[in-house]
Amino acid sequence: ALGIPPSVSNALALPLLVAVRATYPEISLQLTEELSGHLIEQLRSGRINLAVLFDDGQLNAFSTVPLVEEEMLFVTRADSRFAAPDGPVALFDAIKPPLILPGLQHGVRPRIESIVRTAGLSIDNVIDINSVAILRSAILADLGATILPAAPLLSDIERGSMRAHSISGAQISRTVVICSSRNIPLTNAAAAVERLVLAVTQKLCSSGQWLGAQALMV
């Protein structure tokens, strides 16, 4: 059983499923898509064997292997009133619109808040949405902008219904890792799937299919 957050599943889930079926047809892989806060609890309790999570410095309870460093982008509807001119957007300008973000207990949000505080700024207008699908709908309804990696919104960015900009003046990225319990040994099947996650991730990064991601594994 492997848990993947919605903001990563668009990039990783299907290629991994295909690879597992081709390489290990005898392994039954259960994929769970949940927000990272929920995955941490499931991994801690043993309900899942592995989880793809974001290293926010609070994963010491788990064994972790780095996967990728993912750039976070300023994203709006293409014709949004909050849209920026072509090119990078300054951090100060990226946090001006209402920001549609996951809640503080989930992955990407604490990372963004920390970087903004370090820059001496604050986010004053946030719409908390703990669903990638609803967050996407809110952006397309032009309720605000978001700061996220490209992966969960890639189809909209490629179609041109959303615009994504790099953020200047701050290094806004997140480190994606694969985690397992320190207390519950991995089965042979789970260890094999973990190795395959590393191989698939490397291939997705080298081919450019995981947009904005740089592989971290050796």
Side-chain angles (χ1 to χ4, degrees):
L2 169 67
I4 303 182
S7 60
V8 170
S9 64
N10 275 6
L12 184 59
L14 184 58
L16 177 63
L17 182 59
V18 170
V20 169
R21 290 180 65 83
T23 310
Y24 300 115
E26 72 280 10
I27 293 178
S28 176
L29 175 63
Q30 175 187 322
L31 286 177
T32 298
E33 184 183 83
E34 293 272 7
L35 291 165
S36 56
H38 300 151
L39 292 178
I40 287 172
E41 293 305 316
Q42 292 181 36
L43 186 61
R44 186 177 286 123
S45 66
R47 283 177 285 163
I48 57 177
N49 307 102
L50 298 162
V52 175
L53 296 170
F54 313 116
D55 189 356
D56 58 359
Q58 301 183 50
L59 297 178
N60 295 333
F62 306 115
S63 296
T64 64
V65 180
L67 293 177
V68 302
E69 190 73 18
E70 238 184 337
E71 181 185 11
M72 288 192 276
L73 306 169
F74 176 74
V75 183
T76 66
R77 195 175 76 183
D79 61 349
S80 171
R81 56 198 161 128
F82 309 114
D86 291 339
V89 176
L91 179 61
F92 177 78
D93 293 320
I95 63 173
K96 278 183 180 177
L99 284 182
I100 306 166
L101 297 171
L104 278 166
Q105 72 273 35
H106 297 297
V108 68
R109 177 73 174 280
R111 177 68 174 153
I112 295 169
E113 294 272 5
S114 174
I115 290 168
V116 169
R117 281 196 306 271
T118 299
L121 303 171
S122 63
I123 301 173
D124 299 320
N125 191 351
V126 177
I127 302 171
D128 289 284
I129 297 180
N130 289 327
S131 160
V132 169
I134 300 173
L135 185 149
R136 173 183 174 272
S137 296
I139 294 171
L140 291 175
D142 206 25
L143 297 183
T146 192
I147 297 175
L148 280 181
L153 304 171
L154 184 58
S155 59
D156 293 283
I157 294 169
E158 290 180 336
R159 278 198 305 268
S161 55
M162 292 186 189
R163 295 177 60 186
H165 302 262
S166 294
I167 298 172
S168 63
Q171 181 61 42
I172 301 192
S173 64
R174 67 178 182 183
T175 304
V176 182
V177 299
I178 185 163
C179 300
S180 58
S181 171
R182 291 187 183 276
N183 303 315
I184 306 171
L186 289 178
T187 63
N188 289 338
V193 169
E194 183 180 46
R195 291 192 296 271
L196 204 52
V197 169
L198 300 179
V200 169
T201 298
Q202 182 73 59
K203 184 177 179 181
L204 290 171
C205 290
S206 61
S207 67
Q209 291 174 270
W210 193 334
L211 187 65
Q214 179 180 354
L216 294 176
M217 73 285 293
V218 178

